[in-house]
Amino acid sequence: GDLTAQQKLAFTRDVIQLFAQKCRGYRTDVDVGEVLRGILTLIRRHHVRIEANYATLVVNMLCVEGLANRVCPEYNLLDASQPLLMGYKTVCGAGACTISKT
């Protein structure tokens, strides 16, 4: 079922706390795998339902991060993604991106 307002608040609080502890931004040696595993743990703990596409995306990101870490341990997925993410932010921040539900 749907989460109550109190449950949503608790989940949001825990996500904010996770990001404050584990995701300090670009060039801070963020362990993307650790952040993603933390998100999955919170989703499970708070009984948050997510669409299968998003769950698959997170699992795939864990696989990519793990592979990159084995091949090149000094490679940081978040840092390498910065130009793409900043470009997305620029384009979508200007209102050019829309999400359509099919």
Side-chain angles (χ1 to χ4, degrees):
D2 291 335
L3 297 178
T4 66
Q6 186 176 8
Q7 290 170 320
K8 289 177 185 179
L9 186 62
F11 175 70
T12 301
R13 182 194 65 234
D14 285 352
V15 169
I16 290 169
Q17 182 179 9
L18 171 72
F19 273 75
Q21 292 173 351
K22 304 291 182 187
C23 192
R24 298 162 307 281
Y26 300 111
R27 310 286 179 238
T28 59
D29 202 28
V30 172
D31 183 339
V32 174
E34 187 175 354
V35 173
L36 291 173
R37 284 187 293 278
I39 291 292
L40 289 175
T41 297
L42 292 177
I43 287 169
R44 189 172 44 251
R45 180 181 304 147
H46 289 278
H47 307 287
V48 173
R49 295 172 65 189
I50 62 172
E51 292 183 26
N53 289 343
Y54 292 112
T56 301
L57 177 65
V58 171
V59 171
N60 287 339
M61 287 290 300
L62 282 167
C63 291
V64 167
E65 193 272 339
L67 179 63
N69 193 30
R70 285 183 182 208
V71 172
C72 186
E74 63 275 1
Y75 184 81
N76 185 285
L77 190 59
L78 181 64
D79 293 344
S81 301
Q82 183 178 10
L84 176 67
L85 295 172
M86 296 306 286
Y88 179 80
K89 180 180 176 184
T90 300
V91 171
C92 291
C97 297
T98 59
I99 298 174
S100 63
K101 289 193 170 206
T102 55

